[in-house]
Amino acid sequence: MPYGFSFDLSSISKSFFRELAMVAQRRKLHRRLGVGARNLAEKFRLSEITGLDVPDALLLVEDLIDIHVQNVSEKERFTETQKRALFLPHCSRKYMDSRCQATFDSSLPSYQCGHCSPDCLVNRATALGEKKGYDVYVLPGGSCVQGILKKKQYEGVVGVACSQELKMGGHCLQNIGLAGQAVPLVKNGCANTSFSFRSLEKIL
Ligand code: SF4
Ligand code: SF4
């Protein structure tokens, strides 16, 4: 399920994401999540720069912190996995219309990138994932994850999506005991979205 608001963190300073990771580490010790999120949002003028109102900005930061915390706590288990899948969001494709040359397998369901555009984020992520030995799926929605995981046997999963989708996916993985890592979108909106390719590289 998407947020009820759009956000674009691509112009926020990189140190915001560094500090976010540090707050997530501290949260493991102190669990003072609310304070950490508010301080971060204020320090980096999140509302001012993104146009989000304060409650939405806080919700977004809290979700990003939760995802970091989850990544850290799952990292060791994930590193030990062999057979892995990478789930990419269809909304990060360069084109969302007939110019996208991806094929769609309705039996999964998932797109498979046709590599029409070298500068497409999904193309680059697909190539990287396949090079690292992942089965790569470009999903039309988070609800497809469960079906794919029932059909295919994986030990580890990496998901790229907006933070709310990732949190729901994380619960689903926990229920079936799979180790996962997540890369949140820095720009949502269900079209022309983006994520940090560098963050994905580090996780893969
Ligand atoms: S590179 Fe792949 S995902 Fe991107 S627009 Fe082309 S076919 Fe679609
Ligand atoms: S922003 Fe992308 S990942 Fe999030 S709900 Fe929309 S389509 Fe799905």
Side-chain angles (χ1 to χ4, degrees), residues 1-3 89-92 140-142 160-163 165 185 187-191 193:
M1 178 188 290
Y3 286 106
H90 79 126
C91 55
S92 293
V160 182
C162 59
S163 338
E165 288 278 304
L185 293 182
K187 178 174 182 284
N188 81 337
C190 298
T193 63

Side-chain angles (χ1 to χ4, degrees), residues 96-191:
M96 301 273 295
D97 55 23
S98 58
R99 287 173 293 175
C100 171
Q101 297 297 305
T103 50
F104 187 69
D105 182 347
S106 54
S107 69
L108 286 168
S110 168
Y111 290 98
Q112 187 168 25
C113 175
H115 308 294
C116 70
S117 304
D119 60 343
C120 170
L121 203 46
V122 166
N123 185 9
R124 293 175 62 211
T126 299
L128 178 68
E130 288 176 347
K131 190 172 144 202
K132 300 267 183 188
Y134 286 71
D135 288 347
V136 181
Y137 302 90
V138 182
L139 301 183
S143 57
C144 309
V145 170
Q146 252 177 322
I148 293 172
L149 294 179
K150 270 186 196 150
K151 289 188 188 96
K152 313 263 185 175
Q153 300 294 311
Y154 293 108
E155 296 168 9
V157 167
V158 175
V160 182
C162 59
S163 338
Q164 277 204 329
E165 288 278 304
L166 288 176
K167 284 181 74 177
M168 285 191 293
H171 294 313
C172 163
L173 291 191
Q174 274 176 350
N175 289 341
I176 53 179
L178 275 185
Q181 292 286 282
V183 179
L185 293 182
V186 291
K187 178 174 182 284
N188 81 337
C190 298

